[in-house]
């Protein structure tokens, strides 16, 4: 699917040639090397105002003399000083979507035209591959379909002199496909997604990448005293604890646990944490870093017409803390509480949990940022650096003892949960009680897990938020 060509010659088979153009900048030497006549024609059209370089613009031009392309797309990259990796990917996505509308099967990107001082040629190749995967994803729907045959791109060519860049494109594509896995899991309606299907997806990943794999079902959960998980499932529903273990550095005793759980048959966001962790493990498997990584996924079913946990109940967790349930919406926090303790029992020396806490964080940061709390600033700084690298943003919430007092208000139990004051902060600090002194980062994707407005890279719905951040915090940049 991915190819490298040193020049776009007369015998090239791709129907479209894609060229990036910055505002107030001319067409570079790469265009001139592709063909002096092409360079002159494009320069003349730009001077006449027939080509726009504004970010997101796409100017469609038809055959030039001596050029094999059926169509040339000039993609506006905006101002050079404002160009980012995300802007690069959005430009690629614009071209891909245009090619698909025109039912083209092969597209060639003039690599150097998408580079800048902040986006190297190597980085641009990676971003092209990732953007191809992200922009190709389509949200699942259950509407009646037409008989029209979909046309998908079969060949993506990077026009550049460096053949090593094919590997970068392919790596980017695999990472993008990992995000799409999280999107798919998050997009299936709750009544159509079963716990067994998520278990099978985890097993598939474990077998493909040779991870150690384990699943604990209800009898084992009860025997091991994972009381919070059992309470979430109630008497009539199933709960499972999934674990995947990757040993990339057997000589080290260090191991990072990624914990993401949720309600499989609930609202889409309620399984976004598990989806992000599974997707991160898919990405990690393609890179195989020299690190020990454990994925822990506490999952449960829930019948909407029969709440498993009633207000006033007192629950005993795996770490033997007791919790008085004082309201609705406690399920994901309880699953993660046992998940964090179980990860520590399995030998995790650092913890990152991912949660969708009802969207309360959305009132602070909307759909733009993921909230975070930590007991170990250096760990959060590493996660934030990874987020910046992949184009995601994390906003740090306070870890303050005065908020912790809100969780200790019960006369009956060690903890009160959920807390109706400062909910986003209190939810994170509730989990801090189970992390203890182990370095820990909590990521709240209540705002970023679902997108209400589509973008060139992201359709409306599940986003696969933070999956790439998790992976890159462990595999490096």
């Amino acid at each position: 699917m991915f190819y490298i060509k040193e020049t776009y010659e007369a015998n090239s088979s791709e129907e479209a040639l894609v060229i990036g153009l910055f505002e107030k900048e001319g067409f570079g030497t790469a265009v001139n090397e592709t063909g002096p006549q092409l360079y002159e024609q494009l320069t003349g059209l730009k001077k006449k105002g027939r080509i726009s370089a504004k970010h997101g613009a796409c100017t469609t031009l038809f055959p030039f003399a001596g050029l094999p392309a059926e169509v040339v797309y000039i993609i506006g990259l905006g101002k050079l000083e404002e160009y980012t990796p995300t802007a690069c990917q959005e430009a690629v996505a614009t071209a891909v979507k245009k090619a698909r509308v025109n039912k083209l099967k092969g597209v060639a990107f003039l690599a150097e035209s998408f580079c800048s001082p902040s986006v190297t040629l190597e980085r641009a190749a990676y971003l092209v591959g990732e953007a191809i995967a992200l922009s190709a994803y389509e949200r699942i729907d259950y509407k009646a379909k037409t008989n029209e045959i979909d046309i998908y791109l079969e060949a993506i060519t990077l026009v550049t002199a460096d053949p090593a860049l094919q590997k970068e494109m392919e790596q980017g594509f695999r990472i993008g496909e990992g995000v799409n896995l999280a999107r798919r899991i998050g997009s299936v309606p709750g009544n159509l997604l079963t716990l067994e299907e998520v278990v099978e997806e985890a097993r598939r990943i474990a077998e493909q990448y040779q991870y150690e794999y384990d699943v604990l079902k209800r009898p084992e959960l009860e025997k091991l005293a994972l009381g919070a998980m059992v309470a979430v499932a109630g008497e009539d529903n199933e709960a499972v604890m999934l674990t995947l273990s990757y040993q990339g550095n057997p000589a080290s005793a260090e191991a990072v646990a990624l914990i993401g759980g949720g309600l499989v048959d609930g609202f889409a966001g309620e399984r976004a944490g598990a989806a992000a962790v599974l997707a991160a493990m898919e990405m990690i498997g393609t890179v195989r870093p020299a690190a020990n990584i454990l994925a822990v996924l506490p999952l449960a079913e829930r019948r909407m017409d029969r709440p498993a946990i009633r207000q006033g109940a007192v629950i005993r967790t795996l770490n033997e803390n007791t919790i008085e349930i004082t309201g609705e919406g406690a399920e994901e926090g309880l699953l993660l509480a046992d998940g964090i303790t179980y990860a520590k029992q399995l030998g995790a020396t650092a913890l990152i949990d991912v949660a969708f806490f009802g969207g309360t964080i959305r009132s602070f940061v909307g759909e733009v940022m993921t909230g975070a709390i930590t007991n170990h600033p250096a760990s959060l700084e590493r996660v934030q650096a990874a987020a910046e690298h992949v184009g995601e943003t994390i906003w740090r919430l306070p870890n303050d003892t005065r908020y912790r007092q809100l969780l200790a208000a019960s006369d009956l139990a060690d903890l009160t949960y959920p807390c109706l004051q400062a909910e986003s902060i209190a939810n994170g600090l509730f989990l801090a009680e189970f992390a203890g002194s182990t370095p820990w980062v909590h990521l709240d994707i209540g705002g970023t897990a679902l997108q209400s407005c589509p973008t060139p890279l992201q359709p409306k719905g599940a986003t696969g938020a933070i999956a790439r951040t998790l992976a890159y915090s462990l595999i490096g940049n």
Side-chain angles (χ1 to χ4, degrees):
M1 178 178 184
F2 294 102
Y3 306 94
I4 297 289
K5 287 184 179 179
E6 187 171 346
T7 58
Y8 190 72
E9 300 172 338
N11 61 352
S12 294
S13 59
E14 298 83 7
E15 300 115 309
L17 176 63
V18 183
I19 301 170
L21 178 64
F22 291 101
E23 291 184 39
K24 300 181 181 179
E25 302 288 332
F27 290 97
T29 57
V31 177
N32 194 25
E33 290 171 358
T34 301
Q37 189 174 0
L38 171 65
Y39 179 85
E40 291 175 6
Q41 289 176 303
L42 291 179
T43 300
L45 290 171
K46 183 175 183 293
K47 288 180 178 178
K48 294 177 181 178
R50 291 178 57 188
I51 296 176
S52 173
K54 292 187 179 298
H55 175 67
C58 179
T59 305
T60 302
L61 302 171
F62 293 96
F64 291 82
L67 193 70
E70 295 178 11
V71 62
V72 175
Y73 298 134
I74 308 299
I75 307 297
L77 303 180
K79 297 178 181 179
L80 180 63
E81 63 272 18
E82 297 176 358
Y83 189 59
T84 64
T86 298
C88 175
Q89 288 190 311
E90 289 178 344
V92 172
T94 297
V96 169
K97 291 179 182 295
K98 193 77 172 177
R100 186 172 182 185
V101 169
N102 292 334
K103 300 186 183 303
L104 306 183
K105 293 185 178 182
V107 175
F109 290 85
L110 198 59
E112 283 79 359
S113 68
F114 289 87
C115 296
S116 74
S118 62
V119 178
T120 65
L121 185 56
E122 182 180 66
R123 182 76 170 132
Y126 173 92
L127 293 170
V128 168
E130 190 175 82
I132 296 297
L134 294 176
S135 60
Y137 171 79
E138 292 186 328
R139 184 186 181 190
I140 298 170
D141 68 53
Y142 301 89
K143 298 178 181 179
K145 307 298 182 184
T146 69
N147 292 325
E148 185 176 2
I149 298 174
D150 284 334
I151 302 295
Y152 295 94
L153 288 174
E154 297 176 355
I156 305 295
T157 299
L158 207 61
V159 181
T160 177
D162 187 352
L165 296 182
Q166 181 170 341
K167 182 179 179 181
E168 293 295 326
M169 276 200 299
E170 291 171 347
Q171 179 63 36
F173 183 80
R174 288 193 293 268
I175 297 296
E177 283 289 86
V179 175
N180 291 341
L181 168 64
R183 289 169 165 179
R184 287 192 294 271
I185 293 173
S187 295
V188 180
N191 66 317
L192 299 179
L193 182 70
T194 67
L195 197 56
E196 290 76 17
E197 287 173 319
V198 179
V199 170
E200 283 304 310
E201 189 63 50
R203 182 179 289 113
R204 193 262 316 163
I205 292 172
E207 291 176 353
Q208 181 173 346
Y209 299 107
Q210 294 83 52
Y211 295 151
E212 292 182 11
Y213 170 82
D214 190 30
V215 54
L216 302 179
K217 295 188 177 181
R218 188 176 184 118
E220 291 90 349
L221 300 178
E222 293 174 347
K223 182 178 179 180
L224 294 173
L226 282 90
M229 287 190 64
V230 173
V232 171
E235 296 180 359
D236 302 324
N237 301 313
E238 182 60 275
V240 299
M241 179 72 83
L242 295 175
T243 58
L244 294 83
S245 178
Y246 164 72
Q247 296 292 314
N249 187 7
S252 174
E254 301 294 314
V256 179
L258 307 178
I259 305 109
L263 301 167
V264 171
D265 52 354
F267 172 61
E270 293 177 319
R271 67 187 95 102
V277 170
L278 276 178
M281 293 303 288
E282 178 101 66
M283 299 172 195
I284 288 164
T286 70
V287 179
R288 306 197 73 81
N292 301 322
I293 302 165
L294 176 68
V296 176
L297 295 96
L299 302 168
E301 297 173 325
R302 177 187 63 177
R303 285 183 58 179
M304 302 299 293
D305 61 342
R306 191 180 301 174
I309 308 173
R310 299 188 181 279
Q311 186 170 336
V314 174
I315 294 166
R316 186 176 297 276
T317 65
L318 178 59
N319 76 342
E320 298 189 352
N321 272 346
T322 54
I323 302 169
E324 181 183 2
I325 305 302
T326 56
E328 298 180 351
E331 289 87 356
E332 185 159 7
L334 293 174
L335 291 171
L336 290 171
D338 270 356
I340 288 171
T341 303
Y342 190 62
K344 291 167 65 177
Q345 289 185 356
L346 293 178
T349 57
L351 308 162
I352 305 175
D353 79 73
V354 186
F356 182 98
F357 279 132
T360 57
I361 190 71
R362 188 181 291 252
S363 62
F364 294 104
V365 293
E367 298 176 349
V368 176
M369 298 184 186
T370 291
I373 294 181
T374 188
N375 64 3
H376 193 256
S379 294
L380 180 55
E381 288 170 8
R382 183 167 57 251
V383 173
Q384 286 179 307
E388 183 178 356
H389 181 74
V390 302
E392 297 185 299
T393 309
I394 291 175
W395 184 55
R396 184 174 179 176
L397 297 165
N399 184 343
D400 191 300
T401 55
R402 289 170 291 183
Y403 290 111
R404 290 174 179 267
Q405 295 172 5
L406 300 173
L407 299 168
S410 175
D411 295 327
L412 302 175
D414 299 311
L415 297 169
T416 298
Y417 190 70
C419 178
L420 299 182
Q421 296 186 48
E423 290 179 66
S424 297
I425 299 170
N427 281 326
L429 294 182
F430 170 73
L431 298 178
E433 297 293 325
F434 301 89
S437 60
T438 305
W440 159 81
V441 174
H442 161 69
L443 299 173
D444 185 345
I445 56 174
T448 51
L450 301 172
Q451 186 85 25
S452 58
C453 297
T455 70
L457 294 168
Q458 170 63 52
K460 182 179 178 181
T463 64
I466 227 68
R468 286 176 295 169
T469 292
L470 292 177
Y472 271 89
S473 70
L474 298 169
I475 65 180
N477 296 345

